[in-house]
Amino acid sequence: MELERLVDGAERILTLNWRDGFTVPTGKLYPFQWNWDSGFTSIGHSYFQLDYAIRELQSLFSGQWENGMLPHIIFHNENEDTYFPNHDFWGTHVNPGAPQRPKSSGITQPAVHGFILENLLEKFPDNEDLISFVKHIFPDVVKSHRFLYAHRDPQREGLMFIFHPWESGRDNSPLWDESLERIEIDASTLPHYQRWDTRIAPSDERPTSYQYDRYVYLLQLGKKYRYDEAGIFEESPFLIQDTLMNAVLIKSNQSLINIGKRFGLDVGELEEWQQQSRSCFKEKLWNHELQTFAPFDVRGGGHIAFKEIGGLASLYADIPSPVQAQRLNDYLWSLHGRGFYICPSFDVDSPLFDSKRYWRGPVWSQMNWMIYHGLKKYGFVETAKIVRSDLIELVRKLCFYEYYEPQKSKVATLTAGYGGSDFSWTAACTLDLLKDGA
Ligand code: 9WN
């Protein structure tokens, strides 16, 4: 696809996936509004209709819970029944602070919205509509961070835990295998369910049934405690201080601090959180042996020691020391030298690497977007250029898919990406990178 046609293609997808107030990630596979997708997608809309970018975020926050939790799915269209688990299965009415409407899931996702607001303000610094929207939504975004600090950090370390792989955004990453193996499934108590995803996307590109049983188990655990963190923290076999989740939060804290200062808003609380989180991330999540950041398994009491993509988001959040940043850059550079599009989502030398299966190897656009900006911030301009051009090349060759094959030799034989097609955040992130010009 020619470069000019990429811009048209991105616009077409964003329009196609717009549903009167919000955007679905892709029409068939994911027919609702997803939390972190919405953030990236609003950046895409802003190039054509700033109004859509604003409405996108407004609709997302219309699903925020009283305790500040911002759900990972908002089921605006309740009659849509081609996704599992739907709103009935989540049954979030068990929590008195969950809104009656719109219905939602009972877990969250990476808190991108602070940095998305800052990105929009950088693009349209004097737009009155945007400025008044940002001022209006600022307290709600801060409230979503306050929820994490109050409920997901019981030891007050400054690092949030997740209790479900879906919260990490990297659902079936091999990172979670060991924690999921702790879960023994009792077929007589696990509710019957039917997956839709494998009817829409090829099953060898999606998580396995073994993993889905455990996703359902953890959902049921959340519901049993009315999605209240105290009980979940006590019981969940899956309890992880994730790299991506915390790096994104730290980046968004900083963006909110910057925004707050510009508009004369109180940022004291944010600054306190930020100081603690940034230093705890840098110390606790750095794995000396691997020379990378790694999630901390709260139940297992140690790092989940693999090279994978989540820790690279720390560059975007300005977390690594110069030496740590150099190591992360070396890692990317070596993958580039070995014939991979960067960045594969998981360690290509691990037996757990699977170049086709979702978060076990493929390249993802929104990750490239964050890593690109992070590398630029640290002055690794050459690597940033490659991260940008690799994604653009994949999209040109294979169209706007959910994720991509990372091996260059294999891509040469392919005509399409993996997972869902006509994908919103791929359109938005590619468009933004095209406009950025490295
Ligand atoms: C579950 C929507 C979402 C992304 C996630 C991605 C995938 C959902 C699924 O799709 O997860 O949340 O059903 O597989 O892993 O990051 O937000 O695009």
Side-chain angles (χ1 to χ4, degrees), residues 90-131:
W90 282 101
T92 50
H93 56 271
V94 294
N95 186 303
Q100 286 285 320
R101 294 237 143 56
K103 299 247 189 315
S104 71
S105 67
I107 58 173
T108 190
Q109 263 188 335
V112 297
H113 310 94
F115 71 70
I116 296 294
L117 291 181
E118 190 180 29
N119 185 291
L120 292 173
L121 278 174
E122 281 163 6
K123 287 187 168 66
F124 306 96
D126 303 318
N127 184 289
E128 287 304 326
D129 291 341
L130 180 64
I131 290 172

mmCIF file of all heavy atoms in Angstrom, residues 90-131:
data_model
loop_
_atom_site.group_PDB
_atom_site.id
_atom_site.type_symbol
_atom_site.label_atom_id
_atom_site.label_comp_id
_atom_site.label_asym_id
_atom_site.label_seq_id
_atom_site.Cartn_x
_atom_site.Cartn_y
_atom_site.Cartn_z
ATOM 1 N N TRP A 90 -20.331 -11.115 33.448
ATOM 2 C CA TRP A 90 -19.579 -10.339 34.442
ATOM 3 C C TRP A 90 -20.435 -10.069 35.683
ATOM 4 O O TRP A 90 -19.917 -10.061 36.800
ATOM 5 C CB TRP A 90 -19.097 -9.008 33.846
ATOM 6 C CG TRP A 90 -17.891 -9.150 32.966
ATOM 7 C CD1 TRP A 90 -17.865 -9.172 31.611
ATOM 8 C CD2 TRP A 90 -16.527 -9.311 33.389
ATOM 9 N NE1 TRP A 90 -16.575 -9.321 31.156
ATOM 10 C CE2 TRP A 90 -15.727 -9.417 32.215
ATOM 11 C CE3 TRP A 90 -15.886 -9.376 34.634
ATOM 12 C CZ2 TRP A 90 -14.344 -9.572 32.265
ATOM 13 C CZ3 TRP A 90 -14.504 -9.533 34.668
ATOM 14 C CH2 TRP A 90 -13.757 -9.636 33.502
ATOM 15 N N GLY A 91 -21.716 -9.813 35.461
ATOM 16 C CA GLY A 91 -22.647 -9.587 36.585
ATOM 17 C C GLY A 91 -22.150 -8.548 37.583
ATOM 18 O O GLY A 91 -22.180 -8.760 38.799
ATOM 19 N N THR A 92 -21.746 -7.388 37.078
ATOM 20 C CA THR A 92 -21.110 -6.411 37.971
ATOM 21 C C THR A 92 -22.104 -5.709 38.909
ATOM 22 O O THR A 92 -21.687 -4.939 39.774
ATOM 23 C CB THR A 92 -20.343 -5.339 37.156
ATOM 24 O OG1 THR A 92 -21.232 -4.840 36.155
ATOM 25 C CG2 THR A 92 -19.119 -5.921 36.506
ATOM 26 N N HIS A 93 -23.413 -6.020 38.751
ATOM 27 C CA HIS A 93 -24.383 -5.423 39.686
ATOM 28 C C HIS A 93 -24.091 -5.877 41.123
ATOM 29 O O HIS A 93 -24.586 -5.288 42.077
ATOM 30 C CB HIS A 93 -25.813 -5.816 39.291
ATOM 31 C CG HIS A 93 -25.984 -7.303 39.225
ATOM 32 N ND1 HIS A 93 -25.733 -8.015 38.065
ATOM 33 C CD2 HIS A 93 -26.322 -8.212 40.158
ATOM 34 C CE1 HIS A 93 -25.914 -9.311 38.309
ATOM 35 N NE2 HIS A 93 -26.283 -9.445 39.573
ATOM 36 N N VAL A 94 -23.276 -6.926 41.298
ATOM 37 C CA VAL A 94 -22.928 -7.360 42.659
ATOM 38 C C VAL A 94 -22.167 -6.279 43.409
ATOM 39 O O VAL A 94 -22.114 -6.283 44.638
ATOM 40 C CB VAL A 94 -22.090 -8.672 42.663
ATOM 41 C CG1 VAL A 94 -22.885 -9.847 42.139
ATOM 42 C CG2 VAL A 94 -20.779 -8.506 41.878
ATOM 43 N N ASN A 95 -21.566 -5.358 42.673
ATOM 44 C CA ASN A 95 -20.854 -4.253 43.325
ATOM 45 C C ASN A 95 -21.752 -3.017 43.300
ATOM 46 O O ASN A 95 -22.108 -2.529 42.226
ATOM 47 C CB ASN A 95 -19.540 -3.967 42.589
ATOM 48 C CG ASN A 95 -18.707 -2.923 43.309
ATOM 49 O OD1 ASN A 95 -19.160 -1.813 43.551
ATOM 50 N ND2 ASN A 95 -17.495 -3.299 43.674
ATOM 51 N N PRO A 96 -22.107 -2.473 44.469
ATOM 52 C CA PRO A 96 -23.055 -1.348 44.488
ATOM 53 C C PRO A 96 -22.531 -0.090 43.806
ATOM 54 O O PRO A 96 -23.323 0.784 43.427
ATOM 55 C CB PRO A 96 -23.281 -1.096 45.989
ATOM 56 C CG PRO A 96 -22.210 -1.859 46.704
ATOM 57 C CD PRO A 96 -21.699 -2.924 45.791
ATOM 58 N N GLY A 97 -21.235 0.009 43.585
ATOM 59 C CA GLY A 97 -20.675 1.213 42.950
ATOM 60 C C GLY A 97 -20.557 1.097 41.447
ATOM 61 O O GLY A 97 -20.110 2.041 40.789
ATOM 62 N N ALA A 98 -20.966 -0.039 40.886
ATOM 63 C CA ALA A 98 -20.908 -0.179 39.420
ATOM 64 C C ALA A 98 -22.154 0.464 38.838
ATOM 65 O O ALA A 98 -23.260 0.210 39.316
ATOM 66 C CB ALA A 98 -20.846 -1.650 39.033
ATOM 67 N N PRO A 99 -21.999 1.311 37.800
ATOM 68 C CA PRO A 99 -23.199 1.959 37.253
ATOM 69 C C PRO A 99 -24.185 0.939 36.674
ATOM 70 O O PRO A 99 -23.766 -0.095 36.164
ATOM 71 C CB PRO A 99 -22.666 2.856 36.143
ATOM 72 C CG PRO A 99 -21.212 2.606 36.010
ATOM 73 C CD PRO A 99 -20.768 1.676 37.089
ATOM 74 N N GLN A 100 -25.451 1.240 36.781
ATOM 75 C CA GLN A 100 -26.493 0.409 36.142
ATOM 76 C C GLN A 100 -26.290 0.389 34.638
ATOM 77 O O GLN A 100 -26.431 -0.633 33.991
ATOM 78 C CB GLN A 100 -27.866 1.037 36.411
ATOM 79 C CG GLN A 100 -28.378 0.856 37.837
ATOM 80 C CD GLN A 100 -28.855 -0.561 38.057
ATOM 81 O OE1 GLN A 100 -29.479 -1.133 37.181
ATOM 82 N NE2 GLN A 100 -28.542 -1.123 39.212
ATOM 83 N N ARG A 101 -26.010 1.578 34.097
ATOM 84 C CA ARG A 101 -25.764 1.744 32.659
ATOM 85 C C ARG A 101 -24.681 2.792 32.498
ATOM 86 O O ARG A 101 -24.728 3.786 33.214
ATOM 87 C CB ARG A 101 -27.009 2.264 31.922
ATOM 88 C CG ARG A 101 -28.142 1.325 31.901
ATOM 89 C CD ARG A 101 -28.590 1.006 30.497
ATOM 90 N NE ARG A 101 -28.995 -0.403 30.392
ATOM 91 C CZ ARG A 101 -29.917 -0.987 31.138
ATOM 92 N NH1 ARG A 101 -30.516 -0.342 32.108
ATOM 93 N NH2 ARG A 101 -30.221 -2.249 30.943
ATOM 94 N N PRO A 102 -23.760 2.657 31.594
ATOM 95 C CA PRO A 102 -23.561 1.485 30.768
ATOM 96 C C PRO A 102 -23.031 0.311 31.592
ATOM 97 O O PRO A 102 -22.342 0.516 32.589
ATOM 98 C CB PRO A 102 -22.498 1.945 29.760
ATOM 99 C CG PRO A 102 -21.731 3.007 30.481
ATOM 100 C CD PRO A 102 -22.705 3.687 31.362
ATOM 101 N N LYS A 103 -23.365 -0.887 31.155
ATOM 102 C CA LYS A 103 -22.859 -2.082 31.815
ATOM 103 C C LYS A 103 -21.363 -2.215 31.495
ATOM 104 O O LYS A 103 -20.894 -1.685 30.477
ATOM 105 C CB LYS A 103 -23.601 -3.302 31.296
ATOM 106 C CG LYS A 103 -25.093 -3.280 31.564
ATOM 107 C CD LYS A 103 -25.402 -4.376 32.541
ATOM 108 C CE LYS A 103 -26.859 -4.663 32.796
ATOM 109 N NZ LYS A 103 -27.772 -3.590 33.012
ATOM 110 N N SER A 104 -20.666 -2.945 32.369
ATOM 111 C CA SER A 104 -19.215 -3.029 32.155
ATOM 112 C C SER A 104 -18.663 -4.349 32.666
ATOM 113 O O SER A 104 -19.377 -5.129 33.287
ATOM 114 C CB SER A 104 -18.512 -1.881 32.882
ATOM 115 O OG SER A 104 -18.560 -2.090 34.270
ATOM 116 N N SER A 105 -17.369 -4.543 32.427
ATOM 117 C CA SER A 105 -16.659 -5.660 33.039
ATOM 118 C C SER A 105 -16.283 -5.245 34.465
ATOM 119 O O SER A 105 -16.511 -4.097 34.857
ATOM 120 C CB SER A 105 -15.409 -5.990 32.228
ATOM 121 O OG SER A 105 -14.489 -4.924 32.323
ATOM 122 N N GLY A 106 -15.653 -6.152 35.211
ATOM 123 C CA GLY A 106 -15.322 -5.842 36.608
ATOM 124 C C GLY A 106 -13.833 -5.712 36.873
ATOM 125 O O GLY A 106 -13.409 -5.762 38.028
ATOM 126 N N ILE A 107 -13.050 -5.567 35.816
ATOM 127 C CA ILE A 107 -11.596 -5.398 35.962
ATOM 128 C C ILE A 107 -11.164 -4.190 35.126
ATOM 129 O O ILE A 107 -11.958 -3.652 34.363
ATOM 130 C CB ILE A 107 -10.830 -6.660 35.483
ATOM 131 C CG1 ILE A 107 -11.168 -6.979 34.014
ATOM 132 C CG2 ILE A 107 -11.143 -7.852 36.375
ATOM 133 C CD1 ILE A 107 -10.337 -8.103 33.412
ATOM 134 N N THR A 108 -9.878 -3.810 35.275
ATOM 135 C CA THR A 108 -9.432 -2.621 34.546
ATOM 136 C C THR A 108 -8.333 -2.959 33.538
ATOM 137 O O THR A 108 -8.074 -4.142 33.269
ATOM 138 C CB THR A 108 -9.010 -1.517 35.545
ATOM 139 O OG1 THR A 108 -8.798 -0.300 34.850
ATOM 140 C CG2 THR A 108 -7.751 -1.905 36.316
ATOM 141 N N GLN A 109 -7.710 -1.960 32.960
ATOM 142 C CA GLN A 109 -6.631 -2.120 31.969
ATOM 143 C C GLN A 109 -5.622 -0.980 32.148
ATOM 144 O O GLN A 109 -5.879 -0.046 32.910
ATOM 145 C CB GLN A 109 -7.223 -2.080 30.544
ATOM 146 C CG GLN A 109 -7.474 -3.449 29.943
ATOM 147 C CD GLN A 109 -7.875 -3.385 28.476
ATOM 148 O OE1 GLN A 109 -8.412 -2.381 28.014
ATOM 149 N NE2 GLN A 109 -7.639 -4.463 27.743
ATOM 150 N N PRO A 110 -4.482 -1.014 31.430
ATOM 151 C CA PRO A 110 -3.471 0.038 31.617
ATOM 152 C C PRO A 110 -4.039 1.458 31.493
ATOM 153 O O PRO A 110 -4.788 1.765 30.563
ATOM 154 C CB PRO A 110 -2.452 -0.261 30.500
ATOM 155 C CG PRO A 110 -2.567 -1.743 30.285
ATOM 156 C CD PRO A 110 -4.032 -2.051 30.466
ATOM 157 N N ALA A 111 -3.637 2.298 32.449
ATOM 158 C CA ALA A 111 -4.232 3.642 32.600
ATOM 159 C C ALA A 111 -3.588 4.647 31.644
ATOM 160 O O ALA A 111 -2.832 5.525 32.056
ATOM 161 C CB ALA A 111 -4.062 4.102 34.051
ATOM 162 N N VAL A 112 -3.934 4.546 30.389
ATOM 163 C CA VAL A 112 -3.284 5.380 29.355
ATOM 164 C C VAL A 112 -3.830 6.808 29.277
ATOM 165 O O VAL A 112 -3.215 7.669 28.645
ATOM 166 C CB VAL A 112 -3.440 4.732 27.946
ATOM 167 C CG1 VAL A 112 -2.756 3.393 27.867
ATOM 168 C CG2 VAL A 112 -4.912 4.604 27.543
ATOM 169 N N HIS A 113 -4.973 7.068 29.905
ATOM 170 C CA HIS A 113 -5.718 8.281 29.535
ATOM 171 C C HIS A 113 -5.062 9.594 29.929
ATOM 172 O O HIS A 113 -5.259 10.600 29.261
ATOM 173 C CB HIS A 113 -7.157 8.149 30.040
ATOM 174 C CG HIS A 113 -7.702 6.815 29.588
ATOM 175 N ND1 HIS A 113 -7.656 5.703 30.388
ATOM 176 C CD2 HIS A 113 -8.151 6.405 28.391
ATOM 177 C CE1 HIS A 113 -8.096 4.660 29.703
ATOM 178 N NE2 HIS A 113 -8.396 5.054 28.497
ATOM 179 N N GLY A 114 -4.249 9.556 30.993
ATOM 180 C CA GLY A 114 -3.510 10.773 31.358
ATOM 181 C C GLY A 114 -2.587 11.188 30.223
ATOM 182 O O GLY A 114 -2.579 12.343 29.793
ATOM 183 N N PHE A 115 -1.806 10.221 29.702
ATOM 184 C CA PHE A 115 -0.870 10.629 28.642
ATOM 185 C C PHE A 115 -1.580 10.868 27.318
ATOM 186 O O PHE A 115 -1.095 11.631 26.472
ATOM 187 C CB PHE A 115 0.342 9.699 28.531
ATOM 188 C CG PHE A 115 0.138 8.317 27.970
ATOM 189 C CD1 PHE A 115 -0.156 8.110 26.634
ATOM 190 C CD2 PHE A 115 0.312 7.208 28.778
ATOM 191 C CE1 PHE A 115 -0.291 6.827 26.117
ATOM 192 C CE2 PHE A 115 0.183 5.913 28.273
ATOM 193 C CZ PHE A 115 -0.120 5.722 26.935
ATOM 194 N N ILE A 116 -2.738 10.271 27.144
ATOM 195 C CA ILE A 116 -3.497 10.548 25.921
ATOM 196 C C ILE A 116 -3.969 12.008 25.945
ATOM 197 O O ILE A 116 -3.872 12.728 24.950
ATOM 198 C CB ILE A 116 -4.700 9.579 25.794
ATOM 199 C CG1 ILE A 116 -4.222 8.128 25.647
ATOM 200 C CG2 ILE A 116 -5.642 10.001 24.653
ATOM 201 C CD1 ILE A 116 -3.475 7.796 24.377
ATOM 202 N N LEU A 117 -4.452 12.452 27.096
ATOM 203 C CA LEU A 117 -4.895 13.857 27.191
ATOM 204 C C LEU A 117 -3.738 14.805 26.900
ATOM 205 O O LEU A 117 -3.892 15.803 26.184
ATOM 206 C CB LEU A 117 -5.455 14.145 28.592
ATOM 207 C CG LEU A 117 -6.775 13.479 28.962
ATOM 208 C CD1 LEU A 117 -7.188 13.892 30.380
ATOM 209 C CD2 LEU A 117 -7.894 13.832 27.975
ATOM 210 N N GLU A 118 -2.580 14.480 27.457
ATOM 211 C CA GLU A 118 -1.432 15.363 27.229
ATOM 212 C C GLU A 118 -1.052 15.375 25.742
ATOM 213 O O GLU A 118 -0.736 16.425 25.171
ATOM 214 C CB GLU A 118 -0.230 14.918 28.076
ATOM 215 C CG GLU A 118 0.886 15.954 28.035
ATOM 216 C CD GLU A 118 2.108 15.573 28.856
ATOM 217 O OE1 GLU A 118 2.379 14.371 29.026
ATOM 218 O OE2 GLU A 118 2.808 16.510 29.303
ATOM 219 N N ASN A 119 -1.125 14.195 25.123
ATOM 220 C CA ASN A 119 -0.796 14.108 23.697
ATOM 221 C C ASN A 119 -1.764 14.974 22.869
ATOM 222 O O ASN A 119 -1.354 15.712 21.965
ATOM 223 C CB ASN A 119 -0.848 12.633 23.266
ATOM 224 C CG ASN A 119 -0.405 12.426 21.842
ATOM 225 O OD1 ASN A 119 -1.096 12.846 20.910
ATOM 226 N ND2 ASN A 119 0.747 11.802 21.640
ATOM 227 N N LEU A 120 -3.044 14.903 23.208
ATOM 228 C CA LEU A 120 -4.027 15.710 22.473
ATOM 229 C C LEU A 120 -3.767 17.203 22.678
ATOM 230 O O LEU A 120 -3.842 18.003 21.741
ATOM 231 C CB LEU A 120 -5.448 15.345 22.911
ATOM 232 C CG LEU A 120 -5.941 13.939 22.515
ATOM 233 C CD1 LEU A 120 -7.291 13.628 23.162
ATOM 234 C CD2 LEU A 120 -6.051 13.793 20.997
ATOM 235 N N LEU A 121 -3.429 17.557 23.925
ATOM 236 C CA LEU A 121 -3.154 18.978 24.192
ATOM 237 C C LEU A 121 -1.914 19.469 23.448
ATOM 238 O O LEU A 121 -1.854 20.627 23.029
ATOM 239 C CB LEU A 121 -2.955 19.199 25.697
ATOM 240 C CG LEU A 121 -4.217 19.351 26.539
ATOM 241 C CD1 LEU A 121 -3.850 19.407 28.016
ATOM 242 C CD2 LEU A 121 -5.005 20.605 26.157
ATOM 243 N N GLU A 122 -0.928 18.569 23.300
ATOM 244 C CA GLU A 122 0.260 18.966 22.531
ATOM 245 C C GLU A 122 -0.101 19.209 21.068
ATOM 246 O O GLU A 122 0.443 20.096 20.416
ATOM 247 C CB GLU A 122 1.339 17.877 22.607
ATOM 248 C CG GLU A 122 2.124 17.923 23.910
ATOM 249 C CD GLU A 122 2.884 16.636 24.191
ATOM 250 O OE1 GLU A 122 2.901 15.730 23.336
ATOM 251 O OE2 GLU A 122 3.451 16.540 25.304
ATOM 252 N N LYS A 123 -1.059 18.417 20.573
ATOM 253 C CA LYS A 123 -1.441 18.580 19.166
ATOM 254 C C LYS A 123 -2.311 19.831 18.949
ATOM 255 O O LYS A 123 -2.235 20.471 17.917
ATOM 256 C CB LYS A 123 -2.247 17.362 18.699
ATOM 257 C CG LYS A 123 -1.400 16.112 18.509
ATOM 258 C CD LYS A 123 -2.242 14.994 17.887
ATOM 259 C CE LYS A 123 -1.397 13.842 17.413
ATOM 260 N NZ LYS A 123 -0.709 13.106 18.453
ATOM 261 N N PHE A 124 -3.163 20.116 19.931
ATOM 262 C CA PHE A 124 -4.114 21.238 19.790
ATOM 263 C C PHE A 124 -4.033 22.136 21.033
ATOM 264 O O PHE A 124 -4.986 22.211 21.812
ATOM 265 C CB PHE A 124 -5.550 20.709 19.647
ATOM 266 C CG PHE A 124 -5.713 19.707 18.531
ATOM 267 C CD1 PHE A 124 -5.658 18.338 18.797
ATOM 268 C CD2 PHE A 124 -5.909 20.122 17.219
ATOM 269 C CE1 PHE A 124 -5.796 17.403 17.777
ATOM 270 C CE2 PHE A 124 -6.050 19.196 16.189
ATOM 271 C CZ PHE A 124 -5.989 17.832 16.468
ATOM 272 N N PRO A 125 -2.887 22.804 21.222
ATOM 273 C CA PRO A 125 -2.666 23.500 22.502
ATOM 274 C C PRO A 125 -3.658 24.618 22.797
ATOM 275 O O PRO A 125 -3.890 24.948 23.961
ATOM 276 C CB PRO A 125 -1.234 24.044 22.365
ATOM 277 C CG PRO A 125 -0.884 23.951 20.927
ATOM 278 C CD PRO A 125 -1.766 22.924 20.297
ATOM 279 N N ASP A 126 -4.245 25.190 21.747
ATOM 280 C CA ASP A 126 -5.116 26.352 21.992
ATOM 281 C C ASP A 126 -6.583 26.077 21.716
ATOM 282 O O ASP A 126 -7.380 27.005 21.692
ATOM 283 C CB ASP A 126 -4.658 27.531 21.103
ATOM 284 C CG ASP A 126 -3.205 27.855 21.368
ATOM 285 O OD1 ASP A 126 -2.834 27.851 22.558
ATOM 286 O OD2 ASP A 126 -2.449 28.058 20.392
ATOM 287 N N ASN A 127 -6.923 24.827 21.488
ATOM 288 C CA ASN A 127 -8.314 24.532 21.148
ATOM 289 C C ASN A 127 -9.196 24.629 22.405
ATOM 290 O O ASN A 127 -9.017 23.861 23.359
ATOM 291 C CB ASN A 127 -8.399 23.127 20.533
ATOM 292 C CG ASN A 127 -9.801 22.804 20.067
ATOM 293 O OD1 ASN A 127 -10.700 22.603 20.873
ATOM 294 N ND2 ASN A 127 -9.996 22.798 18.761
ATOM 295 N N GLU A 128 -10.154 25.548 22.362
ATOM 296 C CA GLU A 128 -10.971 25.830 23.559
ATOM 297 C C GLU A 128 -11.816 24.631 23.982
ATOM 298 O O GLU A 128 -11.976 24.350 25.169
ATOM 299 C CB GLU A 128 -11.888 27.038 23.308
ATOM 300 C CG GLU A 128 -11.170 28.374 23.287
ATOM 301 C CD GLU A 128 -10.381 28.631 24.575
ATOM 302 O OE1 GLU A 128 -10.830 28.198 25.653
ATOM 303 O OE2 GLU A 128 -9.299 29.248 24.481
ATOM 304 N N ASP A 129 -12.364 23.909 22.992
ATOM 305 C CA ASP A 129 -13.202 22.750 23.331
ATOM 306 C C ASP A 129 -12.377 21.690 24.048
ATOM 307 O O ASP A 129 -12.813 21.091 25.030
ATOM 308 C CB ASP A 129 -13.803 22.106 22.060
ATOM 309 C CG ASP A 129 -14.830 23.020 21.431
ATOM 310 O OD1 ASP A 129 -15.309 23.927 22.139
ATOM 311 O OD2 ASP A 129 -15.118 22.834 20.232
ATOM 312 N N LEU A 130 -11.179 21.487 23.525
ATOM 313 C CA LEU A 130 -10.313 20.474 24.136
ATOM 314 C C LEU A 130 -9.898 20.911 25.538
ATOM 315 O O LEU A 130 -9.955 20.128 26.491
ATOM 316 C CB LEU A 130 -9.080 20.230 23.257
ATOM 317 C CG LEU A 130 -8.114 19.179 23.814
ATOM 318 C CD1 LEU A 130 -8.772 17.794 23.877
ATOM 319 C CD2 LEU A 130 -6.845 19.096 22.970
ATOM 320 N N ILE A 131 -9.533 22.156 25.669
ATOM 321 C CA ILE A 131 -9.087 22.646 26.975
ATOM 322 C C ILE A 131 -10.213 22.495 28.001
ATOM 323 O O ILE A 131 -10.004 22.001 29.119
ATOM 324 C CB ILE A 131 -8.614 24.116 26.880
ATOM 325 C CG1 ILE A 131 -7.295 24.150 26.086
ATOM 326 C CG2 ILE A 131 -8.422 24.731 28.257
ATOM 327 C CD1 ILE A 131 -6.790 25.539 25.746
#
